[in-house]
Amino acid sequence: MQVDALALQVDALALQVGALALQVGALALQVDALALQIKMWGSFKKLVCTP
C-alpha cells in the first residue's frame, strides 16, 4: 500500500516537472518572438530612415 502511494507521489512530481518544463519552453518562445520583433523593428527603422 505504501509503495503505491509513493509511486503516485513520484508520478505527480514528474507531472509537475513536466509542466514546469512546458512553461519554460513557452517563456523561451515568447523571448524568441520578442527578439524577432525587435530585429524586424530595427530593419524597418533602417528602411524608413535611410534616404
Side-chain angles (χ1 to χ4, degrees):
M1 214 51 198
Q2 269 187 329
V3 173
D4 282 352
L6 188 61
L8 279 174
Q9 281 182 325
V10 170
D11 276 355
L13 189 62
L15 281 174
Q16 284 181 325
V17 170
L20 189 63
L22 281 174
Q23 284 180 325
V24 169
L27 189 63
L29 280 174
Q30 284 181 324
V31 170
D32 277 355
L34 189 63
L36 197 63
Q37 282 182 326
I38 290 170
K39 207 187 292 182
M40 281 171 63
W41 175 243
S43 302
F44 177 71
K45 260 185 19 187
K46 237 183 275 176
L47 240 151
V48 171
C49 293
T50 308

